[in-house]
Amino acid sequence: MAPKQVNIAIIGTGGVGSVFVSQLAWLSKNSPSTRLSLCYIAMIDKALYHQDYSEINIDTAVSTLESTGSPPPKLSEIVEYLACAPHKVVLVDNTSASSLAEAYPEFLKRGISVITPNKKAFSGSYELWQDIFSSAKSGGSMVFHESSVGAGMPIISTIKELVQTGDDVTRIEGVFSGTMSFLFNSFAPTSGSGGKWSDNVKKAKELGFTEPDPRDDLNGLDVARKLTILGRLAGLPIESPSSFPVQSLIPDELKDVANGDEFLSKLHDYDNQMEAQKIAAQKEGKVIRFVGSIEMATKEVKVGLERFDPMHPIATLKGSDNIISFYTKRYGDMPLTIRGAGAGGDVTAMGVTGDLLKILAQLR
Amino acid sequence: MAPKQVNIAIIGTGGVGSVFVSQLAWLSKNSPSTRLSLCYIAMIDKALYHQDYSEINIDTAVSTLESTGSPPPKLSEIVEYLACAPHKVVLVDNTSASSLAEAYPEFLKRGISVITPNKKAFSGSYELWQDIFSSAKSGGSMVFHESSVGAGMPIISTIKELVQTGDDVTRIEGVFSGTMSFLFNSFAPTSGSGGKWSDNVKKAKELGFTEPDPRDDLNGLDVARKLTILGRLAGLPIESPSSFPVQSLIPDELKDVANGDEFLSKLHDYDNQMEAQKIAAQKEGKVIRFVGSIEMATKEVKVGLERFDPMHPIATLKGSDNIISFYTKRYGDMPLTIRGAGAGGDVTAMGVTGDLLKILAQLR
């Protein structure tokens, strides 16, 4: 049997994108039943492709793109180019761009499958969410986004399978942010003192666990986006990540300071706010953690600080690990829990590569 | 588009099988894109099928089988019958029979896909393992067995994806038996006394957490079978579950007593053996747990008692939960860990139903 051929298009060659390209190179050498033919690769200001769809060498794609890429075409032109490719096409969006996310329906309608770690499309408006899945249906294409929650861990696939096999998800709870995990595991450890809040934030930034401006982590929006995705997959028509309570850990007075450096230099003036939360929990024999939760029966979705017994799996989390628990009718009182790295180029790219394998298995 | 049609054959209508049939009934009403046509259902001494493959009503299949079933045909006749079915066929083996497991290659070669929670085929001889996967390849059929390890939890799919995306699994460790989990969580709790070993075994049996003869759990073979499967998926050509060290918790003197009742009545005479293990661990500030582990670098596979710090996720396990950790190159020092119910009809059947969904998505 001649190997199946699939055209691959990649947008984004940053932390996740560049690792994905190397995993794709590995896969193309280790997946003899499918020929993976790269026909488009682009970064923010450059694109590499040929009008005759001739194959781009995956091993050298990123360096060739950097040295010989031309300004990228408009999105509508990319759709048109890929829709006319000789084989089925998988578009890999390794950016975090909203503009590209909003164009997924255009690609999907034209039969172009999409895989991505980009949360934007699935945590944007509910209308876009519906549009994405109806477009995939009408276009006979597929869309997978395992790495949009928990990076390469099997979170999206698990909740989908619970729902599709007829289980009732009753509650979802977890630590969805590697940054928040690291901050509270060190600030409020199950034993010993955790030091000052602002010192922990500074340390997290130094170690590369925060965004350039730590407020982009502390505002809780990243967690809210992930909960939006899981809630929708569980069956709740959540309108947007701002349609439920999200606790921000940014002091009101520092919301509008000019940049991350100024924020960090002033944060210690507000350490007493977080310290008070930690001490109040300690008086109950508990520790604080920044969690997201969904109660399906009451449709209550929330993000913020909660108190946990020191032996609770959420309290004993280590490093920057994520933990996500699914409470369901079939699993009863003891949830199905998945724990591990929820961020990082290697594991995020692996989730995308795993999605590609699912598509390859299903493509006709 | 006319719905795709698939023929389903089910063997086994016990604890898992009967729940699977009800999940299949739910699926057939909630999966409009595929028509699931049941053409064969059998239990140990009865079978129900029609020579013209006319559809068996799923809702009433088990009761009709019980009331009107005839003696089952020979395995070779079942293969022939299913190979000539009008649509693609998925055989669901919900038994724990070796005889059926050994016949998988015959089904797979004829294009009949197999899904099963039955560990026997995948933990039998390495020759059978190879025969199963080469038969599926030559027959253009598929074989899935998610529930053979950890019931409905995504264990098999996760290790497959780790391997297929090019990660290096370095170590697998976990509590793979609900019975052993319950026994040690209660006998050697992280705080408080756990009472006598024999009392815990009796309690576990009363609660239905053991096989009719508890020696079938205490011999460690169930865990050895699961490790054999995971080790093979990770790339080790493990010859059989008896080709590596497996610690049995059956006192030598009770190996050959006539039955489970006699075993239980005499077990208290040997409580000092397990008590000594527990106390030795306590002196190190640790607790004992019955775990299985695979070290990929040294190819060391073993099953038996190990000591854990009371804060270790394996030590803090509750009830009869399983926990399985994958250490890999990409995940680094902190493993990807999955925890939850690893036994029970509902969650085991769900793993089988999930496998069916994977096949339906991939069938051409």
Side-chain angles (χ1 to χ4, degrees):
Chain A
M1 204 166 72
K4 186 161 59 181
Q5 282 210 42
V6 174
N7 283 125
I8 308 283
I10 300 171
I11 303 183
T13 58
V16 173
S18 58
V19 178
F20 172 76
V21 172
S22 64
Q23 292 185 8
L24 184 70
W26 182 90
L27 197 64
S28 74
K29 293 176 184 72
N30 290 277
S31 179
S33 67
T34 307
R35 182 167 178 81
L36 303 167
S37 177
L38 181 64
C39 71
Y40 184 90
I41 184 166
M43 51 200 291
I44 186 97
D45 56 352
K46 284 178 183 170
L48 178 67
Y49 63 109
H50 307 291
Q51 284 302 341
D52 65 354
Y53 302 94
S54 60
E55 200 170 319
I56 300 165
N57 185 331
I58 300 173
D59 291 322
T60 55
V62 174
S63 59
T64 310
L65 167 65
E66 284 169 353
S67 58
T68 71
S70 48
K74 285 186 287 185
L75 272 176
S76 58
E77 291 166 355
I78 304 174
V79 172
E80 202 54 42
Y81 170 73
L82 295 179
C84 300
H87 308 291
K88 294 273 184 168
V89 179
V90 179
L91 170 68
V92 189
D93 171 16
N94 284 325
T95 75
S96 56
S98 291
S99 53
L100 183 51
E102 283 157 14
Y104 290 171
E106 304 309 315
F107 288 96
L108 293 164
K109 266 179 219 157
R110 301 292 296 275
I112 300 157
S113 294
V114 174
I115 58 178
T116 184
N118 185 347
K119 287 183 283 290
K120 297 284 168 59
F122 310 97
S123 60
S125 74
Y126 192 64
E127 194 186 344
L128 176 59
W129 169 272
Q130 290 176 302
D131 197 11
I132 285 171
F133 293 100
S134 65
S135 297
K137 203 170 178 184
S138 72
S141 52
M142 287 173 266
V143 53
F144 286 104
H145 53 103
E146 185 61 73
S147 284
S148 63
V149 180
M153 295 196 291
I155 305 299
I156 302 286
S157 55
T158 295
I159 191 169
K160 276 171 136 178
E161 188 165 303
L162 290 167
V163 171
Q164 288 170 357
T165 62
D167 200 357
D168 286 328
V169 177
T170 54
R171 177 176 165 77
I172 301 170
E173 181 184 55
V175 173
F176 294 88
S177 153
T179 311
M180 291 295 198
S181 179
F182 178 84
L183 284 174
F184 285 94
N185 297 342
S186 57
F187 173 62
T190 52
S191 66
S193 161
K196 287 181 189 166
W197 173 247
S198 58
D199 288 342
N200 280 289
V201 177
K202 274 175 203 156
K203 189 176 157 203
K205 168 146 194 201
E206 281 163 21
L207 291 170
F209 285 137
T210 72
E211 297 292 324
D213 185 337
R215 289 177 295 182
D216 292 336
D217 296 297
L218 297 175
N219 64 14
L221 181 60
D222 173 68
V223 178
R225 285 192 178 281
K226 291 169 182 167
L227 274 190
T228 299
I229 296 173
L230 292 183
R232 286 173 176 174
L233 287 171
L236 290 185
I238 298 172
E239 186 44 46
S240 83
S242 55
S243 60
F244 52 86
V246 178
Q247 183 180 1
S248 168
L249 300 184
I250 306 170
D252 280 346
E253 298 83 350
L254 301 182
K255 263 183 192 162
D256 301 319
V257 300
N259 56 45
D261 289 339
E262 188 182 345
F263 170 76
L264 272 181
S265 73
K266 291 181 173 169
L267 184 61
H268 64 88
D269 292 342
Y270 304 89
D271 274 343
N272 58 334
Q273 295 181 5
M274 291 296 294
E275 193 67 22
Q277 301 264 17
K278 177 159 85 170
I279 288 170
Q282 280 171 346
K283 283 183 182 158
E284 294 179 359
K286 295 187 172 178
V287 295
I288 49 171
R289 292 290 181 268
F290 194 84
V291 300
S293 64
I294 301 172
E295 283 289 350
M296 292 300 291
T298 58
K299 301 181 182 174
E300 190 185 8
V301 185
K302 61 179 176 180
V303 173
L305 291 173
E306 305 272 350
R307 298 172 186 181
F308 292 89
D309 185 272
M311 292 293 276
H312 192 286
I314 284 182
T316 59
L317 210 57
K318 289 205 165 55
S320 60
D321 268 4
N322 284 191
I323 186 168
I324 293 151
S325 290
F326 298 104
Y327 292 80
T328 81
K329 191 176 166 197
R330 289 185 190 141
Y331 277 95
D333 294 338
M334 307 281 283
L336 169 58
T337 298
I338 301 172
R339 170 184 166 163
D346 278 1
V347 292
T348 305
M350 174 162 61
V352 182
T353 304
D355 284 346
L356 177 59
L357 287 172
K358 285 180 201 124
I359 290 199
L360 295 182
Q362 294 181 35
L363 269 186
R364 273 112 244 259
Chain B
M1 205 165 72
K4 185 161 59 179
Q5 282 210 43
V6 174
N7 283 125
I8 308 283
I10 300 171
I11 303 183
T13 58
V16 173
S18 58
V19 178
F20 173 76
V21 172
S22 63
Q23 292 184 8
L24 184 69
W26 183 90
L27 198 64
S28 74
K29 293 177 183 74
N30 291 277
S31 179
S33 66
T34 308
R35 183 167 177 81
L36 303 167
S37 178
L38 182 64
C39 71
Y40 184 90
I41 183 166
M43 51 201 290
I44 185 98
D45 56 353
K46 286 177 182 171
L48 179 66
Y49 63 109
H50 307 292
Q51 285 302 341
D52 64 354
Y53 302 93
S54 60
E55 201 169 319
I56 300 166
N57 184 329
I58 300 173
D59 292 321
T60 56
V62 174
S63 59
T64 310
L65 168 65
E66 284 169 354
S67 58
T68 71
S70 50
K74 286 186 288 188
L75 271 175
S76 59
E77 290 166 354
I78 303 174
V79 171
E80 202 56 41
Y81 170 74
L82 294 179
C84 299
H87 308 290
K88 293 275 184 167
V89 180
V90 179
L91 170 67
V92 188
D93 171 16
N94 284 326
T95 75
S96 56
S98 292
S99 54
L100 183 51
E102 283 158 13
Y104 291 171
E106 303 310 313
F107 289 96
L108 292 164
K109 265 178 218 155
R110 301 291 297 274
I112 300 158
S113 293
V114 174
I115 58 178
T116 185
N118 186 347
K119 287 182 283 289
K120 296 284 167 60
F122 310 98
S123 60
S125 72
Y126 192 65
E127 194 185 345
L128 176 59
W129 168 273
Q130 290 176 303
D131 197 10
I132 285 171
F133 293 99
S134 65
S135 297
K137 200 168 180 186
S138 71
S141 53
M142 287 173 266
V143 53
F144 286 104
H145 54 103
E146 184 61 73
S147 283
S148 63
V149 180
M153 296 195 292
I155 304 298
I156 302 287
S157 54
T158 295
I159 191 170
K160 277 169 130 178
E161 188 165 303
L162 289 167
V163 171
Q164 288 171 356
T165 62
D167 200 358
D168 284 329
V169 177
T170 54
R171 175 177 168 76
I172 300 171
E173 181 184 54
V175 173
F176 294 87
S177 153
T179 311
M180 291 295 199
S181 178
F182 178 85
L183 284 173
F184 286 93
N185 298 341
S186 57
F187 172 62
T190 51
S191 65
S193 162
K196 286 181 188 165
W197 172 248
S198 58
D199 288 342
N200 280 288
V201 177
K202 275 175 202 156
K203 188 176 156 204
K205 169 146 193 203
E206 282 162 20
L207 291 171
F209 284 138
T210 71
E211 297 292 325
D213 185 337
R215 288 176 296 181
D216 291 335
D217 296 297
L218 297 175
N219 64 14
L221 181 59
D222 172 70
V223 178
R225 285 193 178 280
K226 291 169 182 168
L227 274 191
T228 300
I229 296 173
L230 293 183
R232 286 172 176 176
L233 287 172
L236 290 184
I238 298 173
E239 186 44 45
S240 84
S242 56
S243 60
F244 52 84
V246 178
Q247 182 179 3
S248 168
L249 300 185
I250 305 169
D252 280 346
E253 299 82 349
L254 300 183
K255 264 185 191 161
D256 301 319
V257 300
N259 56 47
D261 289 338
E262 189 182 344
F263 170 75
L264 272 181
S265 73
K266 291 181 172 168
L267 185 59
H268 64 88
D269 292 342
Y270 304 89
D271 275 343
N272 58 335
Q273 296 181 6
M274 290 297 293
E275 193 67 23
Q277 300 264 17
K278 178 160 82 170
I279 288 169
Q282 281 170 346
K283 282 184 181 156
E284 295 179 359
K286 295 188 172 178
V287 295
I288 49 171
R289 294 290 182 267
F290 194 85
V291 300
S293 63
I294 300 171
E295 284 288 351
M296 292 300 291
T298 58
K299 300 181 182 174
E300 189 185 9
V301 185
K302 62 180 175 179
V303 172
L305 291 173
E306 305 272 349
R307 299 173 187 181
F308 292 90
D309 185 273
M311 292 294 278
H312 192 286
I314 284 182
T316 59
L317 210 56
K318 288 205 166 53
S320 60
D321 269 5
N322 284 190
I323 187 168
I324 293 151
S325 290
F326 299 104
Y327 292 80
T328 81
K329 190 175 166 198
R330 289 183 190 143
Y331 277 94
D333 293 337
M334 308 282 282
L336 168 58
T337 298
I338 300 174
R339 168 184 168 164
D346 279 3
V347 293
T348 305
M350 174 163 61
V352 182
T353 304
D355 283 347
L356 178 57
L357 286 172
K358 285 179 202 127
I359 290 199
L360 295 182
Q362 294 182 36
L363 269 186
R364 273 113 244 254

